Amino acid sequence: MTKRKKAAPKVDSERANGDSTVTQPSSPSPTLTPTPTIPATPSSTPKKTPKPKASAQPPSSPAPLIICRNKHWRYISSFHGPWLQLPPEILETLAHANYNTPRPHPIDPAVFFDLVKIRHLVDEATDLAVRAASGVASAHMSNAPHHAAALGLAFGYGPSGQTKLSRERKHRMREQAAQKLSKAYHLDEIACSVATMQSASSLEEVAALVLQRNANDSDAKYVHFFHEKIPSRQLAECTNLDVLTEIISVMPTEGEPLRTRATVRVFKGDLEGAVSDLTEALRVHRLYRMQHTAPKPQPQSQELQMSEKMPQRNGRWQEDIILKEDDQPSSLELQLLFQRAGVYLTIASQYVTAACPDVPPTSSNTRGTKTDGGSEPQSDPELIPAEKEAQRKVAEARKLVRLNAKRALRDYTAYMAHFEYSPDLPIETAEEFARKVNYTANGIRAPRSNLHPPKDGSPVDGVCSRPNRVYALSELFAATPPSDLPPYPAMELAPVRQQQPYSRAPISTTTETLTYHPLLPDALHSLLLCHCLIQTSAKELLRHAYMVARLARLADGYPVFQASRSPARADWTEILRAGSNWIQLVGVWDDLCAPAPLSIFQSPANGSAERQRKERIHQRAVLEAFSDDRVNDESSFQLAIRARKLRAERDYPTNPSSPALRRWAVDEAKNYSISTDRAIAVARWVLEAPPNAGSSGTSGAGGGADGGAARKRKKKPVKRGAASGLAGGDAPAANSLSGSKTDLDDVRGSPADTEGEVVG
């Protein structure tokens, strides 16, 4: 009895002080396990019969893993990298060095500056949360005078000289921490989720403690939504949208909560609601935030641009520009465009099943043919309504596949218009940035160049101000792309053992480069999936695929991001396999995207080379299995590794002339499906959809006759016949990414294609 009396006030005192943890609501579940010890007493005979049933339940239903909600967010692996470990001061110096580098910037300045601010905010919030949990002030406040009590500090001092914090002071510190975390999640919820995972555990509880005293704190509500503990892989079942709806009503001029609610809607399968939230978030951002962001310099298409570090007066180099926080660009619009494009692409792929039924809705019981006047064929009266309804549903589904794919293409195009590419950046410029990174990372101040370059821009002592061309990435996929790009692929990719002996190539003074964004690799490959659903001709799709491979091999997150696996790239690779490389690529996709030939694909010269080849295949299989969302236990993890290793052996066998090995690898890999639902749907559309399926120039069923009729109209101008051109004709202008501005504007502004009618 005495023990129970002491335990109760202890819990009450902790709740009164606001020091209870978030995991307390889940604590009753573990306390149920000791209950079987209660019926062990002989006095409770009637309770002995139900208790054995309760003790038999734990082995059959193991308790799920309880983790924070933000650990379920997609594309978390894309934001891993050294930026999480670098000191914030060094990270900020690198961000400004990246901004002052001649275009194209190595990293998108908007996302780089957001990373800096997120690191500062998360670190400051962590410091506040840890100090509030420990109950003492920081070290520099240990000698504070007694008038510090006005700030909420107690007059006593701790055993180590630290000033004890009052309960009110703890609450105010937690409020400040919640405000900082809320601002960080507003900037980028994916990057902030990654940063908080690296912080102290007390950071996960700070918002819940604030809500215990102030349940209406909007910042704490927003943070607690990300940090609330839920069962693993059950976000859709364990998430209520009411909290986000309340936050949106309190913050009507902020698009970030709408972005978060759209993400949750995707998990719940409400794709139409996600599109609505993202569209509203874009409208709010452009209405209330765009005027406060720094203007982004427009790319100078097909024109020469000189280095931004041009000689100034007195013949010295221009000093680096240090942007104030209010003048730094924002990455919110990029996030919204990328996410909405992904939702449109998901909607389009989901309609493939209805657009390609297992039993085609053809009129098998018809009698007679169409007359010259175009009358409908005669058929049994009782079958006419059913067949017409089936044909109407298939035609509507095919229209929605094409419509949503074009909408996704539009958003991906707008997303990529923010990034730039240069085919001839001087190598000296790239080396200069790498030198600054090395100096900064080692804590050494980079020496300032005091050269006096001549005014004609000629190089001096290795420092060059040669002009280089800069293009927006969206221009590379236009109907008429730039004609002065380096050839790619330069030669057919053949196995290393079949190539000529190595010969020294001439030293190049320029290099290709682009602006990197952590979501860019996935956007590039998603663009190819959109073209598959729009039925772009094989010739044009091949051109776009080579352009994506050219850019993918240049995409490097140095010095803040590490390479990550793109879901869209994995889907595109599976579609190429399912379609037997119908666009006739000259090599395997991994080889096309690799910056240099991969050593694991070279013919082994001895046993050690073969062992290294197998080790690298195993390492790649493990990394890909870790990023597979379907892997949830040890058995599925081992199956995923085995399937990927067999896939690698099939694509790159040691003895390519052995069909038995390839057949065995294919059969064994069927035990675990690597393809996702989206890859299966797009591949099915590529293989089964009739030509011009869903285009405005076809009838409902989309048979061969209709496809031929559409091809006869392919010579029309793009602006007048864009839909038929995108359907699968051979005209390059009609099947480009941008197609025609009129075509994309029709998708955006047609009364029949409004946002509310995305899902039929």
Side-chain angles (χ1 to χ4, degrees):
M1 299 298 294
T2 57
K3 293 182 179 180
R4 294 182 179 177
K5 291 181 179 179
K6 292 181 180 179
K10 186 176 181 179
V11 175
D12 295 338
S13 62
E14 289 178 353
R15 293 182 178 177
N17 293 332
D19 295 332
S20 59
T21 61
V22 183
T23 55
Q24 283 183 356
S26 59
S27 59
S29 56
T31 57
L32 292 178
T33 53
T35 53
T37 59
I38 300 177
T41 58
S43 58
S44 57
T45 53
K47 296 182 180 179
K48 286 183 179 180
T49 52
K51 291 306 177 181
K53 296 182 180 179
S55 61
Q57 290 180 358
S60 60
S61 58
L65 178 66
I66 305 299
I67 60 176
C68 292
R69 183 179 283 112
N70 62 356
K71 290 182 173 64
H72 295 81
W73 249 238
R74 297 186 64 193
Y75 300 105
I76 281 180
S77 62
S78 300
F79 285 82
H80 287 168
W83 74 276
L84 295 166
Q85 289 79 32
L86 288 173
E89 297 77 13
I90 292 180
L91 191 64
E92 185 172 3
T93 302
L94 293 176
H96 285 98
N98 173 79
Y99 180 78
N100 287 279
T101 301
R103 292 168 34 220
H105 303 297
I107 306 291
D108 176 54
V111 71
F112 208 150
F113 283 124
D114 282 352
L115 295 183
V116 174
K117 288 180 277 193
I118 289 173
R119 275 296 308 276
H120 280 296
L121 292 168
V122 172
D123 289 353
E124 293 170 1
T126 303
D127 178 67
L128 289 169
V130 171
R131 287 163 51 197
S134 61
V136 295
S138 60
H140 69 275
M141 298 180 62
S142 58
N143 298 325
H146 291 295
H147 65 262
L151 300 176
L153 300 175
F155 285 92
Y157 294 90
S160 60
Q162 292 282 355
T163 305
K164 294 182 179 180
L165 300 179
S166 66
R167 185 171 57 186
E168 188 64 26
R169 177 59 176 168
K170 292 179 184 179
H171 176 68
R172 289 209 300 268
M173 292 172 66
R174 291 182 175 122
E175 278 186 333
Q176 294 176 11
Q179 293 171 3
K180 293 180 181 296
L181 287 176
S182 177
K183 186 177 180 181
Y185 277 113
H186 275 67
L187 291 171
D188 193 316
E189 58 190 18
I190 304 177
C192 185
S193 297
V194 177
T196 54
M197 294 177 195
Q198 311 291 325
S199 301
S201 59
S202 58
L203 201 66
E204 300 176 353
E205 309 166 1
V206 64
L209 297 176
V210 173
L211 292 175
Q212 287 182 1
R213 298 189 60 178
N214 184 7
N216 297 323
D217 192 314
S218 299
D219 290 328
K221 283 183 180 180
Y222 192 56
V223 175
H224 182 59
F225 179 82
F226 291 98
H227 293 180
E228 186 179 11
K229 301 292 183 64
I230 62 174
S232 177
R233 301 183 183 274
Q234 297 184 23
L235 186 144
E237 299 84 356
C238 303
T239 302
N240 196 323
L241 296 177
D242 294 342
V243 175
L244 291 175
T245 304
E246 295 175 2
I247 297 173
I248 292 171
S249 62
V250 177
M251 306 176 180
T253 61
E254 298 181 4
E256 293 84 351
L258 286 164
R259 173 200 62 196
T260 305
R261 190 171 69 176
T263 302
V264 180
R265 288 187 189 275
V266 172
F267 279 103
K268 288 179 170 290
D270 183 12
L271 302 181
E272 182 181 4
V275 168
S276 177
D277 282 346
L278 293 170
T279 303
E280 177 64 16
L282 274 170
R283 186 193 69 82
V284 170
H285 172 70
R286 291 166 178 169
L287 181 62
Y288 296 101
R289 301 289 183 87
M290 291 296 289
Q291 60 269 26
H292 300 295
T293 58
K296 180 178 178 64
Q298 297 297 326
Q300 303 172 4
S301 305
Q302 300 183 1
E303 295 181 1
L304 300 180
Q305 68 130 3
M306 299 299 292
S307 173
E308 291 184 358
K309 290 193 173 183
M310 293 297 296
Q312 300 298 309
R313 56 181 180 273
N314 300 328
R316 294 187 178 274
W317 297 104
Q318 178 182 351
E319 296 292 337
D320 287 349
I321 300 175
I322 305 299
L323 288 179
K324 298 180 180 179
E325 183 174 336
D326 294 339
D327 298 331
Q328 294 173 0
S330 170
S331 65
L332 179 59
E333 184 171 0
L334 297 176
Q335 303 170 35
L336 299 176
L337 288 172
F338 177 85
Q339 291 194 23
R340 192 173 70 170
V343 177
Y344 279 138
L345 182 57
T346 303
I347 294 174
S349 62
Q350 287 184 353
Y351 276 111
V352 170
T353 303
C356 297
D358 296 332
V359 180
T362 56
S363 183
S364 57
N365 298 322
T366 57
R367 296 176 299 180
T369 58
K370 286 187 178 182
T371 62
D372 296 337
S375 60
E376 293 294 331
Q378 298 178 359
S379 59
D380 296 337
E382 63 274 10
L383 297 179
I384 289 178
E387 290 183 353
K388 282 188 175 182
E389 180 64 18
Q391 291 182 0
R392 186 193 66 81
K393 289 182 178 180
V394 171
E396 185 66 21
R398 290 174 178 174
K399 283 183 61 177
L400 291 172
V401 169
R402 176 181 295 274
L403 174 63
N404 287 283
K406 289 165 68 176
R407 287 173 169 172
L409 202 58
R410 175 199 64 197
D411 283 347
Y412 282 128
T413 305
Y415 167 84
M416 288 188 292
H418 290 78
F419 313 119
E420 297 173 336
Y421 160 86
S422 177
D424 55 356
L425 183 74
I427 291 182
E428 295 86 353
T429 302
E431 292 178 348
E432 177 71 13
F433 177 71
R435 183 178 64 89
K436 284 188 175 182
V437 171
N438 291 333
Y439 276 118
T440 304
N442 294 323
I444 304 174
R445 183 175 181 179
R448 180 180 300 176
S449 176
N450 54 1
L451 298 175
H452 297 270
K455 294 185 178 180
D456 59 357
S458 59
V460 176
D461 294 340
V463 180
C464 182
S465 59
R466 289 194 303 269
N468 62 287
R469 295 178 295 275
V470 176
Y471 304 98
L473 293 190
S474 56
E475 297 181 55
L476 304 180
F477 298 94
T480 55
S483 59
D484 54 352
L485 303 183
Y488 185 82
M491 59 177 294
E492 292 190 0
L493 297 179
V496 177
R497 54 185 174 273
Q498 298 179 4
Q499 294 181 3
Q500 297 297 328
Y502 174 77
S503 60
R504 184 177 297 275
I507 299 177
S508 176
T509 59
T510 61
T511 181
E512 294 180 89
T513 185
L514 55 75
T515 303
Y516 181 83
H517 187 275
L519 301 176
L520 180 60
D522 200 76
L524 289 171
H525 290 85
S526 298
L527 181 147
L528 298 177
L529 304 186
C530 294
H531 275 292
C532 291
L533 295 175
I534 294 176
Q535 292 186 311
T536 299
S537 67
K539 180 180 178 181
E540 279 302 295
L541 185 55
L542 178 65
R543 180 173 71 86
H544 294 317
Y546 281 148
M547 187 63 69
V548 169
R550 174 202 297 270
L551 299 177
R553 78 193 223 286
L554 300 175
D556 185 8
Y558 176 83
V560 291
F561 295 109
Q562 69 182 25
S564 63
R565 180 177 177 269
S566 164
R569 175 171 172 171
D571 288 350
W572 167 248
T573 306
E574 293 300 317
I575 294 168
L576 287 175
R577 289 190 176 99
S580 300
N581 190 18
W582 81 99
I583 60 176
Q584 299 301 312
L585 290 169
V586 298
V588 181
W589 189 251
D590 289 340
D591 293 347
L592 289 170
C593 297
L598 298 177
S599 59
I600 64 173
F601 304 143
Q602 299 177 3
S603 59
N606 49 42
S608 62
E610 173 65 13
R611 186 166 53 254
Q612 292 178 2
R613 184 185 75 91
K614 291 185 177 181
E615 289 178 356
R616 295 196 179 187
I617 289 178
H618 177 74
Q619 292 175 2
R620 172 178 291 186
V622 171
L623 291 177
E624 292 182 354
F626 270 125
S627 59
D628 194 335
D629 294 336
R630 295 166 295 176
V631 173
N632 51 17
D633 54 14
E634 181 65 22
S635 61
S636 60
F637 179 68
Q638 295 299 332
L639 284 174
I641 293 178
R642 177 173 176 78
R644 286 170 169 83
K645 290 171 67 175
L646 293 174
R647 171 68 59 81
E649 292 289 352
R650 185 194 70 179
D651 292 341
Y652 303 100
T654 305
N655 183 10
S657 62
S658 175
L661 173 63
R662 299 175 63 87
R663 183 70 261 167
W664 171 80
V666 173
D667 294 338
E668 289 294 325
K670 290 180 179 178
N671 294 332
Y672 183 87
S673 176
I674 300 178
S675 296
T676 62
D677 293 340
R678 183 175 65 176
I680 295 173
V682 178
R684 182 178 180 184
W685 179 263
V686 169
L687 297 174
E688 301 180 12
N692 305 291
S695 63
S696 58
T698 62
S699 63
D706 296 328
R711 290 193 190 95
K712 292 181 181 180
R713 296 191 295 270
K714 69 181 180 182
K715 295 184 179 180
K716 289 185 177 182
V718 178
K719 293 184 178 180
R720 300 171 60 184
S724 60
L726 286 172
D730 297 329
N735 291 311
S736 64
L737 165 67
S738 57
S740 118
K741 185 177 184 300
T742 304
D743 177 57
L744 296 180
D745 288 343
D746 289 343
V747 177
R748 183 185 296 109
S750 174
D753 300 336
T754 56
E755 301 294 344
E757 298 177 6
V758 174
V759 181

